[in-house]
């Protein structure tokens, strides 16, 4: 997640294991632990950062706190240590594709291609590069979406 190598596909962690560890280590109830797992989307670094921030802020009084209380600091950490590097290393056309996804959410591959005036072959190359970098989700046939946790919210500041 942190320093992705194009030659390796990084898989997400098991969501049940993440929720269980949040419950066990932070003393959360299962519903709160599941919400935190959802925020991290199974990425190891995102999972660790969120758990660390929760521990630092609420370890003495874990009850009655919402994971959303940590989002500003969480976003700042992800941005500073991971997402700025990813964003600023994107070539222009890939940045334009990601910008469309940030602004519009999940989109048809064909709609992106038409919006950016790309051929099928060009779109296929850019789609594969973004997929390999782990930035986009291509699991729904014909559709693309942002894959990284909170990337849409964070990168929206760079697309305005």
């Amino acid at each position: 997640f942190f320093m992705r190598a194009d030659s390796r596909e990084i898989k997400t962690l098991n969501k049940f294991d993440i929720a269980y560890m949040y419950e066990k280590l932070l003393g959360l109830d299962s519903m709160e632990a599941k919400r935190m797992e959802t925020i991290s989307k199974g990425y190891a670094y995102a999972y660790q950062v969120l758990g660390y921030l929760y521990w630092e802020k609420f370890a003495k009084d874990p009850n009655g706190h919402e994971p959303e209380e940590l989002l500003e600091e969480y976003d700042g950490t992800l941005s500073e240590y991971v997402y700025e590097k990813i964003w600023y290393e994107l070539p222009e056309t890939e940045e334009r594709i990601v910008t469309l996804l940030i602004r519009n959410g999940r989109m048809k591959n064909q709609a992106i291609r038409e919006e950016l005036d790309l051929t099928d072959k060009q779109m296929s190359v850019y789609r594969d590069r973004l997929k390999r970098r782990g930035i986009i989700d291509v699991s729904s046939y014909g559709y693309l979406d942002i894959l990284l946790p909170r990337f849409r919210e964070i990168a929206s500041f760079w697309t305005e």
Side-chain angles (χ1 to χ4, degrees):
F1 177 68
F2 192 2
M3 298 294 280
R4 293 167 183 264
D6 283 343
S7 62
R8 294 192 179 213
E9 185 176 337
I10 308 295
K11 302 244 187 246
T12 58
L13 301 173
N14 181 291
K15 65 182 180 178
F16 300 106
D17 290 340
I18 290 174
Y20 173 74
M21 293 307 288
Y22 280 146
E23 280 183 62
K24 180 181 169 187
L25 298 174
L26 300 175
L28 301 174
D29 64 41
S30 62
M31 197 64 126
E32 227 175 13
K34 169 82 173 98
R35 283 185 24 232
M36 286 185 58
E37 179 279 321
T38 302
I39 291 169
S40 75
K41 289 188 174 181
Y43 284 89
Y45 185 70
Y47 154 69
Q48 291 169 347
V49 168
L50 189 57
Y52 173 78
L53 292 173
Y54 198 94
W55 176 262
E56 284 292 306
K57 297 279 186 187
F58 308 132
K60 293 179 182 161
D61 179 25
N63 298 319
H65 297 287
E66 303 291 325
E68 291 78 12
E69 294 175 53
L70 302 169
L71 290 183
E72 187 176 330
E73 193 170 354
Y74 181 65
D75 290 352
T77 301
L78 291 177
S79 174
E80 181 178 356
Y81 293 106
V82 184
Y83 292 163
E84 282 185 30
K85 179 174 178 37
I86 290 171
W87 180 258
Y88 290 112
E89 289 182 356
L90 285 175
E92 181 183 347
T93 302
E94 291 174 31
E95 181 182 315
R96 292 173 60 212
I97 292 169
V98 172
T99 297
L100 279 175
L101 294 172
I102 287 167
R103 291 183 178 153
N104 300 313
R106 183 176 181 243
M107 290 181 72
K108 283 190 170 190
N109 191 50
Q110 182 177 346
I112 295 169
R113 188 178 60 74
E114 290 170 1
E115 175 82 21
L116 300 178
D117 196 28
L118 299 172
T119 66
D120 284 337
K121 186 172 176 92
Q122 289 172 319
M123 185 63 197
S124 178
V125 168
Y126 295 124
R127 176 189 165 278
D128 288 345
R129 284 182 190 168
L130 290 166
K131 177 188 170 202
R132 255 185 311 177
R133 289 188 182 133
I135 297 171
I136 62 168
D137 177 11
V138 297
S139 61
S140 295
Y141 182 76
Y143 287 88
L144 304 180
D145 201 356
I146 299 295
L147 186 61
L148 299 170
R150 306 244 348 126
F151 189 77
R152 176 175 281 113
E153 293 80 3
I154 294 166
S156 67
F157 288 101
W158 301 315
T159 64
E160 295 176 351

